[in-house]
Amino acid sequence: DYWLADNHLFPSPPIEPHSEKLLRLQRCFIAWQPTDILPEYHALISDPPKADIRLGCFNHNRKFSDFTLSLWGELLNAIPAAKLVLKANSTDDPHTQILLRRRMLRAGLDPERVEWLPITASAQEHLIQYSQLDLALDCHPNGGCTTTCEALWMGVPTLSLMGDRYVSRMATAVLTGANLPQFITATRQQYLERGTAIAADLHNLRSKRNSWRAHIQASPLGDARDLMQHLENAFSLIASSPNQ
């Protein structure tokens, strides 16, 4: 009957067709507050990479649209020293590797500048792999939610291009909830300019690596209790609706 989200997932007016009533929470629609039964709670933030700037994405390759590959290719061309680190599929899947390589070449992304990380057997090993990244890159138009939270938790902020509908505004909602609007861009050109500016000030980016987790914890994104209060208020509103 209702679709709960927030003002950043559903700008007004919303584009998506929907049969449910939209109910926008007056805060980020999720919270990221790992408890001690989760691997994220115990994961230590690693030191930054020792090499030149390393951009990366741990989203599944089904999110690698032609637009995304083209955008990443343009960003790499603007940052000659950068490497692109991906782990979207297993290296023992050569057919997918071949297809992705062809698509990268068509999109203007040099596959020789891509480093593939192995798919890990455990969540702990997966989190450790964030030691290979300086800056995460969101996909477009199908962006990441969990990966955006996860990367930031491990000391790696995500650069995102804001879209005009729900599926392309997940990272927008997360980064806004984390009080990090500087990593949200509205146009392709702004995305490229912001990415190159971050790369040009790599020392500043790396010096903040250990601060992002505390930043989350002090933000609405890190406040699960506040989310529950907003959800309870929303459920009470729904229950008292005359249409129920």
Side-chain angles (χ1 to χ4, degrees):
D1 297 313
Y2 286 82
W3 194 347
L4 272 65
D6 62 36
N7 289 301
H8 298 283
L9 281 180
F10 281 127
S12 184
I15 290 177
E16 288 88 353
H18 53 89
S19 59
E20 306 88 354
K21 295 179 181 179
L22 298 183
L23 204 165
R24 296 176 175 88
L25 302 178
Q26 298 306 305
R27 54 149 290 134
C28 183
F29 77 109
I30 63 167
W32 183 268
Q33 192 176 349
T35 62
D36 59 5
I37 63 171
L38 298 174
E40 290 84 358
Y41 180 91
H42 302 281
L44 300 177
I45 298 175
S46 64
D47 291 332
K50 302 299 182 185
D52 292 322
I53 187 166
R54 295 168 69 84
L55 314 173
C57 180
F58 287 179
N59 282 313
H60 194 280
N61 58 41
R62 65 175 175 268
K63 295 188 176 183
F64 294 174
S65 66
D66 290 341
F67 180 94
T68 294
L69 295 178
S70 173
L71 182 63
W72 290 351
E74 198 170 347
L75 185 59
L76 285 177
N77 289 337
I79 311 172
K83 274 279 192 181
L84 180 63
V85 181
L86 305 174
K87 60 168 294 182
N89 66 282
S90 174
T91 53
D92 62 5
D93 182 5
H95 298 294
T96 299
Q97 290 279 342
I98 291 171
L99 288 173
L100 280 173
R101 183 180 180 89
R102 289 174 182 170
R103 291 186 58 222
M104 287 176 180
L105 288 170
R106 287 199 300 268
L109 171 58
D110 183 1
E112 299 303 321
R113 296 181 65 183
V114 177
E115 179 178 327
W116 292 96
L117 298 182
I119 302 298
T120 58
S122 70
Q124 290 87 346
E125 292 171 303
H126 166 70
L127 294 168
I128 289 171
Q129 287 180 319
Y130 279 100
S131 64
Q132 302 296 316
L133 302 185
D134 286 300
L135 178 69
L137 303 177
D138 195 25
C139 300
H140 189 91
N142 192 353
C145 178
T146 301
T147 48
T148 303
C149 296
E150 184 180 78
L152 188 55
W153 184 257
M154 296 305 297
V156 181
T158 297
L159 180 64
S160 182
L161 175 59
M162 176 174 51
D164 59 2
R165 61 200 67 212
Y166 181 95
V167 72
S168 58
R169 296 173 68 91
M170 301 297 285
T172 299
V174 169
L175 291 168
T176 301
N179 294 327
L180 291 172
Q182 66 268 35
F183 292 102
I184 303 169
T185 60
T187 66
R188 184 186 186 109
Q189 185 59 35
Q190 191 179 56
Y191 181 99
L192 296 170
E193 291 174 354
R194 191 72 49 81
T196 53
I198 291 171
D201 197 9
L202 183 57
H203 174 74
N204 180 56
L205 176 65
R206 288 179 172 174
S207 69
K208 294 180 177 178
R209 191 175 183 92
N210 288 307
S211 68
W212 299 124
R213 184 175 295 184
H215 190 97
I216 286 181
Q217 292 171 323
S219 74
L221 178 65
D223 192 345
R225 182 181 296 275
D226 183 67
L227 173 61
M228 284 303 303
Q229 289 174 345
H230 279 77
L231 287 174
E232 289 171 357
N233 292 339
F235 296 153
S236 296
L237 180 65
I238 291 170
S240 63
S241 171
N243 295 326
Q244 295 302 309

